[in-house]
Amino acid sequence: MPLIFQVSPDDITTCKADAIVNAANNSLLGGGGVDGAIHRAAGPRLLDECRQLGGCETGDAKITKGYDLPARYVIHTVGPVWRGGKHGEPELLARCYRRCCEIAYEHEIFSIAFPAISTGAYGFPLEAAARIAIQTVNTHLHGSSSLMHVTFCCFGSESYETYKKVVADVIPLPR
């Protein structure tokens, strides 16, 4: 079966994937942006399960059930706060995407939807973050992976257009 790699302007909370990725904070107890939207859409049982996880380190990821979401699972990852790029932010962001892919493999997840991790309140430059995300996931897919369908759900037209451009650069389509 061929790998499907796409960029979507759709709301990640309505995405029909086996797992969606939450751009979480270290507590995993909800917040603003994608994190708050996922917690609201999943319902209170997600927060109850997240309380059991003991938080999450930046660059790592943890999995929960999806509860009231269309997705079976939520993979929560904590991206880095942008501090100028000289404090390991690119590697920490790449580690977020690698860990999500590893967890997907461990749980035999075939489809996953990612948000633009760290590009909102955490201030990571959009194009640099998109390039890291797409290159990291693409590299992982050529190794040990169960993933067959990867979607980048982009909030807003700037994010959507940037991700489409970077996907075309990194993964050229056959002509």
Side-chain angles (χ1 to χ4, degrees):
M1 179 174 219
L3 175 69
I4 298 169
F5 205 95
Q6 70 182 38
V7 178
S8 170
D10 294 337
D11 180 342
I12 197 164
T13 65
T14 62
C15 188
K16 290 177 177 58
D18 295 334
I20 62 170
V21 174
N22 181 14
N25 61 45
N26 294 102
S27 75
L28 302 182
L29 301 180
V34 170
D35 192 13
I38 288 173
H39 273 268
R40 284 188 299 278
R45 293 176 297 167
L46 178 62
L47 181 58
D48 291 342
E49 185 175 356
C50 285
R51 283 190 175 114
Q52 310 292 319
L53 297 177
C56 186
E57 294 296 318
T58 301
D60 200 1
K62 295 186 178 182
I63 192 169
T64 63
K65 294 176 185 171
Y67 298 103
D68 296 337
L69 293 161
R72 274 188 328 192
Y73 299 105
V74 177
I75 301 174
H76 308 265
T77 191
V78 182
V81 173
W82 181 256
R83 297 185 299 151
K86 305 243 188 280
H87 301 278
E89 299 97 307
E91 177 51 37
L92 285 168
L93 185 59
R95 194 180 316 162
C96 289
Y97 287 96
R98 278 194 301 273
R99 280 297 297 139
C100 290
C101 290
E102 290 165 1
I103 289 171
Y105 180 71
E106 292 164 8
H107 291 269
E108 297 179 349
I109 292 169
F110 297 103
S111 60
I112 192 167
F114 289 97
I117 299 166
S118 285
T119 63
Y122 285 12
F124 209 107
L126 183 57
E127 187 164 345
R131 195 161 296 280
I132 289 166
I134 293 159
Q135 288 174 335
T136 302
V137 171
N138 189 48
T139 297
H140 185 83
L141 295 175
H142 290 89
S144 296
S145 180
S146 58
L147 293 171
M148 297 303 295
H149 192 155
V150 176
T151 303
F152 287 93
C153 290
C154 299
F155 181 77
S157 60
E158 182 184 10
S159 180
Y160 177 67
E161 293 302 326
T162 300
Y163 269 75
K164 279 189 354 184
K165 176 187 169 291
V166 174
V167 165
D169 289 348
V170 173
I171 308 168
L173 297 173
R175 300 197 185 267

